[in-house]
Amino acid sequence: MASLSRNDARINVRLPSELKQTIEEAASALGQTVSEFAISTVVREARQVLQDAQITRLTNRDRDQFLRALDAADAKPNAALKAAARRYGKLRG
């Protein structure tokens, strides 16, 4: 993993002066520099976006149907599921 302490990358942004002033005021209110504020805010939001992209959201109807399928007594794993379980078992040690 890349070192987080090495500042060797830049992001340049153009924005209206009113927005810049708002950002400066917010940073000041938190006792941060504009750079610290911008980095922490953008990174936090980026992580949230990535986390949200990993979540599958179901409607109540779809959730109920999924749970019924999991609970079905006659449900049998197919070959792909069995292979995935074997791979998972090998990864877990």
Side-chain angles (χ1 to χ4, degrees), residues 4 36-50:
L4 295 178
E36 290 167 340
F37 178 79
I39 291 167
S40 66
T41 303
V42 169
V43 168
R44 183 176 56 249
E45 184 65 20
R47 287 180 176 151
Q48 186 64 52
V49 166
L50 294 173

Side-chain angles (χ1 to χ4, degrees), residues 39-93:
I39 291 167
S40 66
T41 303
V42 169
V43 168
R44 183 176 56 249
E45 184 65 20
R47 287 180 176 151
Q48 186 64 52
V49 166
L50 294 173
Q51 181 180 354
D52 290 348
Q54 297 297 313
I55 296 172
T56 300
R57 301 198 192 283
L58 300 175
T59 64
N60 289 338
R61 181 188 61 96
D62 290 342
R63 181 207 57 228
D64 293 343
Q65 184 175 352
F66 177 71
L67 291 175
R68 277 194 302 276
L70 290 176
D71 291 337
D74 62 342
K76 303 264 191 272
N78 63 18
L81 183 57
K82 289 177 184 177
R86 282 192 299 275
R87 286 191 307 273
Y88 178 76
K90 289 178 184 176
L91 290 174
R92 299 268 306 158

Side-chain angles (χ1 to χ4, degrees), residues 16-46:
S17 59
E18 297 84 20
L19 291 179
K20 182 176 183 268
Q21 182 176 350
T22 300
I23 292 168
E24 290 170 341
E25 290 173 10
S28 178
L30 294 176
Q32 296 179 328
T33 66
V34 170
S35 290
E36 290 167 340
F37 178 79
I39 291 167
S40 66
T41 303
V42 169
V43 168
R44 183 176 56 249
E45 184 65 20

